[in-house]
Amino acid sequence: MDARVRISGIAISSRNVRGEIIYPHIILERESDLVVEKAPPNDPFAAPKRPISQLKAFSPDGRPLHRQCIEGTVIYQSPEGVVHVQAAAYGVRVETITAESFAPGDQVKVAGFINISREVAGLSGAVIRKIGHTKPPLPIPINLTEIQQDHAHLGSNQLLNHPGIDSLLVSIQGHLLGQQGPSSDGVMRLEIDTGDAISTAFVREKKLDVVPGSELRVTGVAQIQYAPVGQINFYPVPTRLDLLMRDKNDVSILSTPSWWNARRLFVAMSILALAMAIGGLWIYQLRRLVNRQTRRWEETLVAHRDSELEMKGAREERYRLAGDLHDGLQQHLTGASYRLEAALLRLGNQAPDVEEQFAATRAALERTRTGLREC
């Protein structure tokens, strides 16, 4: 790494459908086709030291191809080997080949190659050496509107000295819209509404005890997305602010949402509507039952009334028949019996057989009267 070499070989390339060269490269036949003209320094950290603010400043000599050294404080290290280093008001993204782990607050010296593949220059292929430890820098409270306003007031001359927010430790405040994950790479995503924009905070945690609607303050390394550059002399405009959180301690819950929210209101209204529907159906069934039972009672009462009227009519008819029999036929039989006795008295003494017939007739009349009375 960092050696100056001369390569001899066959130059070839691939082409697209327009005939444009898209993949130029050189094929070497033997190891001797790569000649080291100048060996790298024995100590990578012997490279020229450069302030972070001048990491990619313009120079008539062009971009330096050898390692450059910077110093700063570690604010975050990802499992992929990316270390974010902050010095004063500047932050740098460092892609390291060092296997050592660093903690926030470690003061380090970094030797690496300038990487201009992103909107803000960083370092790649870097080696890192720890030179001390200090308290991590405090996060900068910020939001996207402030970042955009800051850029809007800058002229082309001022841009050269503007630190920007990329790779700095910042904090945002807003409402949690939702959380996703963890995904296959173990990263959880928090969608936060800061009032002027939506920001995504990435953190490697299995679970966070936060609920949507909570008011949060989230700390992390700023990741700025820019709009494409439209014309010459235009500078990229920030369009989005995302954060790389270090751990779950970077989330502070300022307030939790009310228990009575729109979802629970909908559930309560649904339950109430269902209860009202069940109550209405029950009342309808109860009314049907009451009406049916009332009709049964009415039918029973009508039947009892008819039966009573029939019994009363039959009783009155029996009384009438009894009266007619007693006052009519019974009296006639009694009168006939009295007249028979009167006739016997007038006739006087009669023959025995005649007396016998009269006695039998009187007995028949008496039996008829007794039977009629019993009837």
Side-chain angles (χ1 to χ4, degrees), residues 15-243:
R15 291 177 293 176
N16 59 18
V17 294
R18 298 182 179 181
E20 299 167 339
I21 295 176
I22 58 174
Y23 185 38
H25 54 285
I26 298 177
I27 296 180
L28 305 184
E29 182 179 0
R30 59 186 67 86
E31 185 177 356
S32 59
D33 289 339
L34 191 150
V35 179
V36 177
E37 292 188 343
K38 183 179 180 181
N42 294 327
D43 183 10
F45 297 99
K49 183 178 179 181
R50 182 183 293 265
I52 293 181
S53 59
Q54 299 294 318
L55 191 61
K56 185 56 183 73
F58 172 78
S59 171
D61 298 330
R63 176 170 60 91
L65 301 180
H66 294 278
R67 282 192 174 105
Q68 304 293 309
C69 277
I70 62 171
E71 292 183 0
T73 303
V74 174
I75 57 175
Y76 175 70
Q77 180 179 11
S78 71
E80 293 80 11
V82 176
V83 179
H84 292 268
V85 178
Q86 181 172 330
Y90 291 85
V92 176
R93 183 179 186 271
V94 178
E95 298 176 9
T96 179
I97 58 175
T98 303
E100 185 180 355
S101 297
F102 301 94
D106 285 345
Q107 293 180 308
V108 293
K109 187 173 185 180
V110 182
F113 301 94
I114 296 177
N115 182 355
I116 56 173
S117 62
R118 302 166 65 91
E119 288 82 356
V120 177
L123 294 178
S124 62
V127 291
I128 303 177
R129 175 189 295 168
K130 181 178 178 180
I131 58 177
H133 186 81
T134 186
K135 190 175 182 179
L138 296 176
I140 303 171
I142 199 72
N143 58 45
L144 182 60
T145 299
E146 295 174 351
I147 298 173
Q148 292 174 338
Q149 291 176 349
D150 195 13
H151 278 69
H153 290 90
L154 295 174
S156 58
N157 294 330
Q158 294 173 296
L159 278 176
L160 298 177
N161 298 319
H162 187 261
I165 299 297
D166 290 88
S167 296
L168 289 180
L169 192 64
V170 300
S171 66
I172 61 174
Q173 182 175 333
H175 284 82
L176 177 64
L177 299 179
Q179 55 180 323
Q180 300 176 358
S183 56
S184 57
D185 55 359
V187 176
M188 290 192 66
R189 293 165 173 81
L190 305 180
E191 298 295 332
I192 302 170
D193 183 0
T194 59
D196 58 348
I198 306 298
S199 296
T200 302
F202 302 88
V203 60
R204 292 184 179 274
E205 293 287 346
K206 294 182 179 179
K207 183 179 180 181
L208 290 177
D209 294 329
V210 291
V211 294
S214 300
E215 182 77 11
L216 304 178
R217 178 180 289 112
V218 180
T219 301
V221 180
Q223 301 288 289
I224 305 295
Q225 297 183 20
Y226 297 88
V229 178
Q231 299 177 10
I232 296 176
N233 295 331
F234 279 14
Y235 55 87
V237 177
T239 59
R240 185 179 178 90
L241 169 62
D242 294 333
L243 298 184

Side-chain angles (χ1 to χ4, degrees), residues 181-358:
S183 56
S184 57
D185 55 359
V187 176
M188 290 192 66
R189 293 165 173 81
L190 305 180
E191 298 295 332
I192 302 170
D193 183 0
T194 59
D196 58 348
I198 306 298
S199 296
T200 302
F202 302 88
V203 60
R204 292 184 179 274
E205 293 287 346
K206 294 182 179 179
K207 183 179 180 181
L208 290 177
D209 294 329
V210 291
V211 294
S214 300
E215 182 77 11
L216 304 178
R217 178 180 289 112
V218 180
T219 301
V221 180
Q223 301 288 289
I224 305 295
Q225 297 183 20
Y226 297 88
V229 178
Q231 299 177 10
I232 296 176
N233 295 331
F234 279 14
Y235 55 87
V237 177
T239 59
R240 185 179 178 90
L241 169 62
D242 294 333
L243 298 184
L244 295 178
M245 296 168 53
R246 295 165 294 185
D247 52 38
K248 62 182 180 181
N249 296 323
D250 282 338
V251 177
S252 299
I253 301 176
L254 303 180
S255 64
T256 56
S258 173
W259 183 88
W260 189 252
N261 52 28
R263 179 176 177 274
R264 289 189 171 94
L265 177 61
F266 175 76
V267 173
M269 294 298 293
S270 301
I271 294 175
L272 180 60
L274 180 61
M276 292 178 64
I278 294 175
L281 180 61
W282 180 78
I283 292 174
Y284 173 74
Q285 293 293 339
L286 183 60
R287 286 182 176 178
R288 288 188 59 189
L289 178 61
V290 169
N291 292 335
R292 186 165 58 248
Q293 192 67 25
T294 301
R295 287 195 298 269
R296 289 180 181 176
W297 289 344
E298 289 177 351
E299 292 173 358
T300 301
L301 291 175
V302 169
H304 280 293
R305 184 191 62 187
D306 294 343
S307 177
E308 185 177 356
L309 290 176
E310 183 179 357
M311 292 179 63
K312 183 178 180 182
R315 185 168 57 252
E316 291 178 352
E317 183 65 17
R318 287 197 298 270
Y319 289 161
R320 188 186 64 80
L321 289 175
D324 290 345
L325 292 177
H326 181 271
D327 296 339
L329 187 57
Q330 184 77 15
Q331 297 301 324
H332 290 311
L333 291 176
T334 302
S337 179
Y338 287 161
R339 287 181 179 275
L340 184 59
E341 289 182 3
L344 286 176
L345 291 175
R346 288 192 177 189
L347 289 177
N349 295 327
Q350 296 293 329
D353 52 347
V354 175
E355 289 284 350
E356 183 178 354
Q357 291 297 326
F358 273 102

